[in-house]
Amino acid sequence: MNLRRVVFSSAAGCLLCGALLSVGGCPEYLSQYMISERTGNVTFQFINTTPFRASFSYGTWDSLDRSPPGTVTLLQLRLAANSTSTTSTAVCRRNAAIGTAEFVARVLATRADEAANFDADAFGEVVNFSSAPSNSDAAALPTEGTAAGREVLIGRDFSCGDRLVFTFVQDPDASGGFRIDFEVIKDQVRDRP
């Protein structure tokens, strides 16, 4: 019963969006979000331009898979000051994020936070920036501030196979004193004519 409701909701959403698109009422990115191919992986990479360690959780999920909540890929990282991470891979899904309330809710709903090596101090809706020694209890806590989480969407911001690059920047005008910039490096094989 629930599965039928989810399938019907997604199908109805696609039909409604398609109808609205034909009369100019549905944003193109929304239709792309709903119908974009979701096979393969996406790659994450992080650049920390700040003088502080950045600690955070990130991953992918399908926001439309709600009843029951669909699978989430949860990854975590503590990234040293003024450094670039190696790349990490996640299953390609509609939503990719660092933090955000919806990502955190999906992790909790699917109990992904019960995995081995879960880093509770690096888990939340924001990125924490710390100047505490890396071996201290405050190593992943926001001793210097935070950056609001950032979500990107398939179809509008990326395609499967792309590299998602997030850059942490100190910004006194941003809430928490830091911001996250985003760029995508397109998959050359997939985008070839």
Side-chain angles (χ1 to χ4, degrees):
M1 177 97 175
N2 287 339
L3 180 59
R4 278 189 249 163
R5 189 173 344 145
V6 171
V7 171
F8 176 75
S9 297
S10 295
C14 285
L15 290 173
L16 176 62
C17 198
L20 290 173
L21 256 179
S22 66
V23 295
C26 186
E28 184 177 340
Y29 79 85
L30 184 58
S31 66
Q32 290 301 314
Y33 172 78
M34 295 180 76
I35 63 172
S36 291
E37 179 182 351
R38 291 175 292 137
T39 59
N41 298 309
V42 291
T43 305
F44 286 87
Q45 189 164 34
F46 303 95
I47 303 169
N48 186 0
T49 67
T50 78
F52 310 109
R53 181 182 316 99
S55 301
F56 53 97
S57 297
Y58 63 101
T60 60
W61 78 103
D62 284 322
S63 181
L64 298 178
D65 295 345
R66 296 183 180 180
S67 183
T71 304
V72 63
T73 297
L74 168 65
L75 303 163
Q76 296 182 294
L77 185 62
R78 293 185 185 194
L79 183 60
N82 299 307
S83 67
T84 300
S85 73
T86 59
T87 58
S88 58
T89 302
V91 174
C92 185
R93 295 190 174 107
R94 287 186 178 98
N95 307 71
I98 303 171
T100 77
E102 188 178 359
F103 176 68
V104 167
R106 180 59 60 95
V107 167
L108 296 174
T110 59
R111 303 172 75 162
D113 58 318
E114 296 176 8
N117 301 320
F118 176 75
D119 185 351
D121 291 337
F123 182 66
E125 299 175 13
V126 297
V127 174
N128 294 336
F129 293 90
S130 178
S131 60
S134 61
N135 60 353
S136 73
D137 289 342
L141 300 182
T143 65
E144 300 301 322
T146 61
R150 177 103 188 234
E151 178 182 17
V152 293
L153 304 175
I154 197 169
R156 181 183 74 185
D157 301 309
F158 70 92
S159 300
C160 294
D162 291 348
R163 180 183 302 184
L164 314 180
V165 181
F166 297 90
T167 303
F168 304 133
V169 179
Q170 199 166 9
D171 182 352
D173 296 327
S175 176
F178 298 86
R179 73 173 193 268
I180 304 171
D181 293 341
F182 170 75
E183 68 177 303
V184 63
I185 300 173
K186 293 290 186 184
D187 176 25
Q188 296 301 315
V189 173
R190 183 176 294 264
D191 294 334
R192 191 175 296 150

